[in-house]
Amino acid sequence: MEQYRQLAKRLRSLAVFRSLLEDPVIKGLIALLEADSESVPERWAALAAALYQADQEQVDLGEYLLSAVLADENRYMLRRARNRPVDPLLERQAEQELKLLGGAGALSSQALRSGTDWPYPLPEWRGEQRDFWSIYQERLERIPVYGYGIYARHHTFVLKDGVITPVLHPDETALEQLSGYQAERRQVLDNTAALLRGKPAANILLYGDAGTGKSSTVKAVANRYREEGLRLIELKKDQLHQLPGLMDALSRNPLKFILFIDDLSFTRDDGDFSALKAVLEGTVAAKGSNTVIYATSNRRHLVRESFSDRAGDDVHFNDTLQELTSLSDRFGLTITFLRPDKKQYMQIVRDLAERYGLTLPEEELLRRADAFAVRRGGYSPRTARQLVESLSAEE
């Protein structure tokens, strides 16, 4: 067991990857390696429990440690990701620690069991020797696709108290699940593909009737390209004043980002109006080449304007009104999602019914679709989806 205690000491001396010492599995491993004969069963079970709860296909200590290493945000990775010079001392230390962690990952329950005399069954896990250093270097070469830190493990985020926070169970809508509006979605796809290639990409306003799939389009496009280095961060309207700081924080990240604002609209005296306007126009804190803003709205001019606003006492009222109503023009691209007519609506119903595997005769399907739309106040893709989902539940 002395060799295990020495391994535990070496793991406790991590410097480049020191933050991993707070990881529950690594803490459990160190505790087990340091255990005396009386505490082995309890610490053994604690390590196994932490591994069993991990989100991975196999209960494999090496796979878990490799995932933790690749997601760790440390000085060495950041300098490599930003193409900054790396001190040879730092690089050598990173290599030593990665080789150490790779060796620790080979400690299967079977390998550890050979060093104990515990007579009862103990939980099991796999362990496999991996070349962490070589794998890590390969990942660094493709870091614009994989990312690092929380961006390596998640692809959808929100802002909470000014902190970028992962969404653990994001909307998994795929483009293949959406029907109609192919031309509109193609514009979003093409613009996003340009962003990923490092080409000029526009901020987009998706404007149109409720229920036409504007938000679903943005989320589906983000899902389509997440394996190519795209991440989505959703902001609420009252968080727009944080845009300059957010963009500054993302500017040196090798990934590409969609900053998504859903259901955007303003009142005339809304302070967040100025924050978005400044970013769209381009200021000292203008959007970086790795970010775009995608917003959806049911209002073409984004500003809620009343008749009393038109009767204001502003000396240069026409200039003020023009500023308020032209915010949408500051988006590089405006894509309109109009409510479908009856023919388009019925085609969407047919497409969704086929996708859901409905066996209802077409004549009956379309009759019920028409009646459903009348009760719901009109034709829309959302109405079509709600109908098909309800019919699917009946079968």
Side-chain angles (χ1 to χ4, degrees):
M1 293 295 292
E2 180 59 29
Q3 61 176 329
Y4 294 145
R5 292 190 177 89
Q6 291 300 318
L7 176 58
K9 289 180 180 179
R10 293 188 64 196
L11 288 172
R12 286 194 180 279
S13 69
L14 291 175
V16 177
F17 294 93
R18 192 156 191 82
S19 63
L20 295 185
L21 295 179
E22 298 302 314
D23 183 278
V25 169
I26 295 177
K27 289 175 71 172
L29 174 61
I30 292 174
L32 176 59
L33 295 175
E34 294 175 336
D36 55 31
S37 58
E38 292 296 320
S39 59
V40 163
E42 179 182 352
R43 296 187 182 185
W44 187 292
L47 171 57
L51 274 171
Y52 290 171
Q53 293 173 20
D55 183 17
Q56 55 184 29
E57 292 184 5
Q58 297 189 1
V59 185
D60 187 319
L61 179 60
E63 179 184 330
Y64 182 92
L65 293 183
L66 179 60
S67 176
V69 159
L70 294 176
D72 185 60
E73 186 172 330
N74 57 71
R75 181 70 171 172
Y76 175 66
M77 174 173 276
L78 289 176
R79 292 194 71 82
R80 287 289 306 274
R82 296 167 182 172
N83 294 316
R84 302 289 298 277
V86 178
D87 189 308
L89 290 175
L90 178 61
E91 180 136 16
R92 186 160 57 249
Q93 183 64 27
E95 181 178 3
Q96 291 173 358
E97 293 183 12
L98 285 167
K99 290 179 177 179
L100 171 66
L101 289 162
L107 292 175
S108 65
S109 56
Q110 183 177 2
L112 282 171
R113 185 67 185 261
S114 63
T116 72
D117 55 0
W118 185 253
Y120 304 109
L122 290 168
E124 295 185 356
W125 62 84
R126 297 179 181 85
E128 182 180 339
Q129 180 77 44
R130 293 173 172 86
D131 186 350
F132 277 25
W133 174 247
S134 295
I135 296 172
Y136 199 78
Q137 296 307 306
E138 292 174 6
R139 173 61 64 90
L140 287 172
E141 293 299 321
R142 300 200 66 201
I143 206 163
V145 172
Y146 291 109
Y148 55 79
I150 57 173
Y151 305 110
R153 290 181 168 176
H154 306 277
H155 66 276
T156 303
F157 305 85
V158 295
L159 277 185
K160 287 187 178 179
D161 300 322
V163 178
I164 299 173
T165 305
V167 176
L168 300 182
H169 304 287
D171 187 334
E172 296 291 347
T173 297
L175 286 167
E176 294 73 22
Q177 296 174 292
L178 304 178
S179 183
Y181 302 94
Q182 285 88 352
E184 290 82 358
R185 293 194 176 100
R186 173 49 56 189
Q187 293 183 72
V188 183
L189 277 167
D190 289 346
N191 190 73
T192 308
L195 173 72
L196 291 168
R197 294 195 304 268
K199 303 295 184 181
N203 297 316
I204 297 180
L205 173 64
L206 295 86
Y207 153 75
D209 298 305
T212 50
K214 302 182 295 295
S215 301
S216 297
T217 294
V218 175
K219 294 173 183 177
V221 168
N223 289 335
R224 164 69 64 87
Y225 288 121
R226 69 188 183 191
E227 300 299 329
E228 298 182 36
L230 183 66
R231 302 293 182 265
L232 183 143
I233 303 176
E234 184 168 359
L235 293 83
K236 299 183 184 302
K237 187 182 73 66
D238 60 4
Q239 296 175 322
L240 294 182
H241 65 278
Q242 300 180 54
L243 266 174
L246 175 61
M247 289 181 166
D248 186 56
L250 298 174
S251 63
R252 291 187 293 175
N253 196 301
L255 295 169
K256 309 296 184 183
F257 295 89
I258 293 174
L259 305 183
F260 177 46
I261 311 160
D262 198 19
D263 195 20
L264 182 62
S265 65
F266 298 97
T267 59
R268 182 178 178 183
D269 298 323
D270 200 323
D272 292 309
F273 175 92
S274 297
L276 179 58
K277 175 176 172 289
V279 171
L280 293 175
E281 287 184 332
T283 63
V284 173
K287 83 176 182 67
S289 60
N290 67 332
T291 61
V292 289
I293 298 173
Y294 288 179
T296 70
S297 180
N298 298 337
R299 294 173 176 270
R300 175 65 178 85
H301 293 297
L302 301 180
V303 179
R304 297 190 188 100
E305 182 193 1
S306 66
F307 284 108
S308 61
D309 291 330
R310 293 181 178 269
D313 58 0
D314 193 333
V315 174
H316 301 288
F317 175 70
N318 287 335
D319 291 344
T320 301
L321 184 61
Q322 179 65 24
E323 179 184 22
L324 290 172
T325 57
S326 66
L327 177 62
S328 58
D329 295 334
R330 292 179 169 87
F331 285 87
L333 182 60
T334 297
I335 304 174
T336 305
F337 284 69
L338 297 177
R339 187 182 293 272
D341 59 21
K342 183 175 180 177
K343 181 180 179 181
Q344 292 170 316
Y345 168 73
M346 292 304 182
Q347 187 57 51
I348 292 172
V349 170
R350 290 190 190 94
D351 292 343
L352 291 174
E354 181 179 356
R355 195 167 295 135
Y356 277 75
L358 291 184
T359 58
L360 194 68
E362 182 173 311
E363 183 178 347
E364 175 67 10
L365 172 67
L366 298 184
R367 185 190 65 78
R368 295 184 66 171
D370 196 30
F372 192 82
V374 170
R375 291 197 303 272
R376 293 301 176 100
Y379 305 123
S380 76
R382 180 183 296 164
T383 301
R385 187 182 69 252
Q386 290 171 344
L387 166 73
V388 172
E389 287 177 347
S390 66
L391 293 176
S392 179
E394 294 176 7
E395 291 195 346

